[in-house]
């Protein structure tokens, strides 16, 4: 059975008005992990860590926040992967029978408490509940802060354990065994973090500015455990340890953390990673490959890229190469890095390069669409891919005939609506089509009565040919009741008008040109007008 030591808040401090936060500094970039109130039973822990996270983010830090039910053991361990700093505000766990809750001797193991499981410190390694042992996956020399965590400073609530130095060492071992600097405090307000925000250069400098300055150390198992007599602060590590700047942090890599968590939980110091410019990928389009490899214990001496199409490149310095593919297909890009200790790491990605369809379009080069007259069509099609081109143009004229070529003509024999379709094909066989409907008509006249009015016993009638062909002569009739007058109307060319005058005894009536329907017109129902 496992137990949880209650959170220790002692001594009412003015420091508590600092409920805002801090920043770190370490080597190569990654995230700062903040864990708060994993058991959802202490609002102060939650508000303190939330304010801390907001302050860090406002200063440009990349922060991974785990609060309450989201602070599962899995999420905490994944968040530690490649972390630049770890801040834990919550309970300290112990095994039943290992402490009497009344100032007796505290025996290991001790644990961080997730919302669902314990993360035990066993020697200088960790264990998730009853699982296998592994080394914490964060970077070397990072700061680990435990705030208000029972056993971490030698206190459990208001009782000091009988063996505080041994207890601190046993709690710290899971962190210092992975190369971290361990700092624990039972004071409210995360004061040391404010010291760093206010310019402290390292732990020694921050300690000198702190309300409780640690001045005493005790050797335990070859390690200096720093803690004042009956003190509420503990430190194990390098006083010259620093904290990451905002610029040194980068976004949390969940994919890499998940891979570590589900794997053998061995953190590789040499890692190979890269990204590719955003998809989709087209032929002859320059793609950028951005390396993100690193060696935490040495340095990389060789960067090799194999683009999967027979092309390779190697350099001794980090280069983000660009490469284009001349043919569509699926390519496996492999990046390999070699360290100064001759270790290698490899990463691969599969990309699909596509050839886009050409774009089909065309226009008419003839304005008059009439039967028995050549009508011209010209392609304005194109291929959007660099280096690709259209190799064929095929036409379907909609009357059962076809043609080919970029510029074609067709003579239609009769009136009608015809759907013309152009199909184009590129070098890789991709096709596209475009259709348009044209109307082919024999030009006809269209006679209308443009004006009709009575003036001093005469009727004035203006006839206009608004069609596209000349009209022959016809009769225009004006009438009222049984009374009528037929007006001989001369032929008119397209667009012309002619006005006629005839005696008419009625003031009102109707006028219709081509009264006897002798002229085939494009519109046969617009010949009538009232006056």
């Amino acid at each position: 059975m496992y137990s949880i030591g209650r959170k220790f808040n002692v001594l009412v401090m003015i420091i508590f008005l600092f409920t805002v936060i801090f920043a770190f500094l370490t080597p190569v970039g990654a995230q700062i992990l903040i864990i708060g109130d994993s058991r959802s039973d202490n609002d102060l822990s939650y508000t303190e860590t939330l304010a801390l996270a907001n302050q860090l983010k406002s200063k440009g830090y990349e922060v991974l926040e785990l609060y309450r039910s989201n602070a599962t053991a899995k999420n905490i361990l994944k968040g530690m992967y490649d972390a630049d700093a770890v801040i834990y505000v919550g309970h300290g766990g112990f095994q039943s029978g290992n402490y009497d809750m009344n100032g007796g001797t505290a025996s290991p193991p001790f644990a961080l408490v997730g919302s669902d499981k314990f993360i035990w410190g066993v020697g200088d390694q960790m264990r998730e509940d009853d699982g296998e042992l592994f080394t914490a996956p964060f970077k070397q020399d990072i700061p680990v802060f435990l705030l208000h965590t029972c056993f971490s400073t030698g206190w459990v609530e208001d009782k000091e354990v009988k063996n505080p130095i041994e207890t601190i060492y046993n709690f710290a071992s899971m962190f210092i065994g992975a190369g971290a600097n361990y700092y624990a405090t039972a004071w409210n307000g995360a004061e040391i973090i404010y010291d760093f925000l206010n310019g402290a250069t390292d732990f020694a400098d921050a300690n000198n500015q702190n309300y409780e300055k640690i001045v005493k150390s005790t050797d335990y198992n070859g390690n200096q455990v720093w803690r004042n007599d009956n003190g509420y602060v503990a430190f194990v590590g390098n006083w010259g340890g620093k904290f990451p700047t905002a610029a040194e942090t980068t976004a949390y890599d969940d994919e890499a953390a998940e891979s570590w968590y589900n794997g053998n939980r061995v953190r590789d110091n040499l890692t190979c990673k890269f990204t590719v410019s955003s998809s989709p990928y087209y032929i002859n389009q320059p793609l950028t490959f951005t390396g993100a490899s690193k060696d935490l214990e040495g340095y990389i001496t060789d960067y090799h890229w194999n683009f999967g199409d027979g092309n390779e490149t190697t350099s001794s310095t980090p280069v983000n190469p660009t490469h284009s593919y001349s043919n569509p297909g699926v390519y496996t890009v492999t990046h390999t890095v070699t360290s100064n200790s001759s270790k290698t790491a490899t990463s691969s990605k599969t990309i699909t390069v596509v050839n886009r369809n050409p774009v089909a379009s065309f226009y008419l080069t003839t304005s008059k669409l009439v039967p028995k007259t050549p009508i011209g069509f010209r392609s304005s099609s194109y291929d959007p891919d660099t280096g690709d081109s259209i190799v064929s143009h095929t036409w379907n004229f909609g009357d059962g005939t076809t043609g080919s070529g970029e510029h074609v003509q067709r003579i239609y024999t009769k009136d009608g609506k015809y759907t013309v379709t152009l199909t184009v094909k590129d070098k890789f066989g991709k096709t596209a089509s475009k259709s348009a409907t044209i109307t082919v008509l024999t030009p006809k006249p269209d006679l209308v009565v443009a004006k009709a009015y009575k003036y001093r016993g005469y009727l004035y009638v203006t006839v206009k040919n608004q069609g596209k062909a000349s009209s022959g002569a016809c009769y225009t009739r004006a009438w009222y009741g049984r009374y009528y007058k037929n007006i001989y109307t001369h032929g008119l060319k397209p667009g012309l008008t002619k006005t006629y005058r005839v005696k008419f005894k009625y003031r009102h009536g109707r006028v219709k040109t081509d009264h006897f329907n002798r002229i085939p017109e494009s519109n046969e129902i617009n010949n009538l007008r009232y006056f």
Side-chain angles (χ1 to χ4, degrees):
M1 178 179 178
Y2 305 136
S3 300
I4 302 172
R6 297 297 299 173
K7 193 174 147 186
F8 178 32
N9 299 318
V10 314
L11 304 181
V12 178
M13 297 294 303
I14 296 177
I15 298 171
F16 185 62
L17 50 92
F18 289 102
T19 319
V20 228
I21 329 297
F22 77 162
F24 305 118
L25 315 155
T26 71
V28 201
Q31 77 283 352
I32 293 175
L33 171 64
I34 296 182
I35 306 124
D37 192 21
S38 61
R39 287 288 169 155
S40 302
D41 59 359
N42 194 301
D43 289 340
L44 179 60
S45 294
Y46 175 71
T47 56
E48 189 173 39
T49 49
L50 184 63
L52 172 60
N54 289 336
Q55 181 71 8
L56 286 169
K57 290 187 290 186
S58 73
K59 294 181 177 294
Y61 283 86
E62 292 288 347
V63 180
L64 175 62
E65 302 169 71
L66 300 176
Y67 305 121
R68 296 180 169 172
S69 61
N70 195 39
T72 62
K74 176 180 178 179
N75 286 344
I76 292 172
L77 290 172
K78 285 175 58 180
M80 288 184 184
Y81 183 82
D82 222 19
D84 276 325
V86 176
I87 305 162
Y88 175 85
V89 185
H91 295 293
F94 69 102
Q95 292 186 341
S96 295
N98 286 8
Y99 178 62
D100 63 4
M101 296 299 294
N102 195 34
T105 299
S107 300
F110 303 106
L112 301 180
V113 181
S115 62
D116 59 342
K117 298 178 183 178
F118 291 78
I119 301 171
W120 295 100
V122 182
D124 60 0
Q125 292 188 297
M126 292 181 170
R127 187 184 73 209
E128 185 179 4
D129 264 5
D130 296 321
E132 299 295 324
L133 294 175
F134 57 88
T135 301
F138 43 66
K139 295 174 182 172
Q140 296 284 311
D141 301 318
I142 74 161
V144 171
F145 292 91
L146 271 60
L147 310 182
H148 321 309
T149 304
C150 287
F151 302 103
S152 66
T153 60
W155 290 83
V156 178
E157 297 190 358
D158 60 346
K159 301 290 185 180
E160 184 179 29
V161 301
K162 189 174 182 179
N163 56 333
I165 298 300
E166 179 186 4
T167 298
I168 293 167
Y169 174 80
N170 286 328
F171 208 138
S173 290
M174 70 172 108
F175 303 108
I176 64 175
N181 294 308
Y182 172 90
Y183 187 96
T185 179
W187 296 101
N188 288 325
E191 180 193 5
I192 191 168
I193 299 171
Y194 295 111
D195 294 334
F196 285 114
L197 280 181
N198 291 330
T201 57
D202 54 23
F203 272 104
D205 190 16
N207 181 56
N208 287 331
Q209 299 178 36
N210 222 12
Y211 176 81
E212 182 183 346
K213 177 181 177 180
I214 308 174
V215 296
K216 182 178 179 180
S217 70
T218 302
D219 182 84
Y220 188 86
N221 279 356
N223 289 271
Q224 294 297 311
V225 178
W226 289 82
R227 180 189 187 263
N228 298 331
D229 292 337
N230 309 120
Y232 300 114
V233 181
F235 179 76
V236 184
N238 174 18
W239 283 111
K242 300 183 182 300
F243 301 82
T245 63
E248 289 172 327
T249 60
T250 55
Y252 167 64
D253 189 341
D254 184 72
E255 181 182 351
E258 183 76 20
S259 177
W260 169 84
Y261 183 84
N262 293 323
N264 59 10
R265 298 198 183 178
V266 175
R267 185 174 180 276
D268 295 323
N269 287 316
L270 178 64
T271 57
C272 181
K273 293 178 62 177
F274 70 94
T275 58
V276 190
S277 50
S278 300
S279 62
Y281 308 120
Y282 304 121
I283 59 170
N284 300 311
Q285 169 199 359
L287 308 183
T288 300
F289 300 85
T290 304
S293 303
K294 54 192 173 186
D295 187 355
L296 300 179
E297 62 181 3
Y299 55 91
I300 297 173
T301 59
D302 183 88
Y303 300 81
H304 180 77
W305 297 86
N306 185 325
F307 299 106
D309 63 347
N311 290 288
E312 301 181 45
T313 184
T314 301
S315 67
S316 59
T317 56
V319 174
N320 298 329
T322 59
H323 183 69
S324 59
Y325 295 85
S326 57
N327 292 291
V330 178
Y331 299 92
T332 299
V333 181
T334 302
H335 181 35
T336 302
V337 294
T338 304
S339 72
N340 62 314
S341 57
S342 298
K343 293 180 180 179
T344 61
T346 298
S347 179
S348 297
K349 292 183 183 295
T350 299
I351 63 173
T352 300
V353 178
V354 300
N355 167 47
R356 286 176 285 185
N357 286 45
V359 178
S361 63
F362 66 91
Y363 58 93
L364 294 168
T365 60
T366 305
S367 58
K368 295 182 179 180
L369 309 183
V370 298
K372 300 178 183 179
T373 301
I375 299 174
F377 304 89
R378 184 179 293 279
S379 171
S380 53
S381 308
Y382 65 93
D383 194 292
D385 291 322
T386 303
D388 198 3
S389 61
I390 294 174
V391 296
S392 72
H393 298 74
T394 302
W395 300 83
N396 184 322
F397 296 112
D399 63 347
T401 64
T402 59
S404 62
E406 195 170 341
H407 183 206
V408 294
Q409 288 185 329
R410 173 63 188 150
I411 298 176
Y412 293 91
T413 59
K414 58 183 180 181
D415 292 353
K417 291 182 179 294
Y418 299 93
T419 299
V420 181
T421 302
L422 168 63
T423 301
V424 295
K425 182 168 64 175
D426 70 8
K427 293 193 299 185
F428 296 96
K430 284 286 188 75
T431 62
S433 296
K434 174 71 175 180
S435 296
T437 299
I438 64 171
T439 301
V440 178
L441 286 175
T442 300
K444 294 180 180 179
D446 182 18
L447 298 178
V448 295
V449 178
K451 291 181 182 179
Y453 60 93
K454 183 77 179 297
Y455 182 69
R456 292 183 178 180
Y458 288 93
L459 176 63
Y460 293 85
V461 178
T462 300
V463 178
K464 180 179 180 180
N465 180 2
Q466 61 183 20
K468 296 183 179 180
S470 297
S471 68
C474 64
Y475 282 95
T476 297
R477 173 172 287 191
W479 75 94
Y480 179 81
R482 294 185 178 182
Y483 175 81
Y484 66 89
K485 288 287 183 77
N486 288 331
I487 306 169
Y488 181 79
T489 305
H490 298 275
L492 290 172
K493 292 182 179 180
L496 297 185
T497 61
K498 187 171 179 60
T499 300
Y500 300 90
R501 188 182 74 165
V502 61
K503 280 188 173 290
F504 199 84
K505 67 180 182 179
Y506 292 101
R507 186 175 179 182
H508 300 288
R510 289 179 285 181
V511 181
K512 180 183 179 184
T513 189
D514 189 24
H515 178 72
F516 298 106
N517 295 322
R518 301 292 175 85
I519 299 175
E521 297 181 65
S522 58
N523 189 339
E524 298 284 1
I525 60 172
N526 61 349
N527 296 353
L528 181 66
R529 189 181 185 97
Y530 290 82
F531 66 92

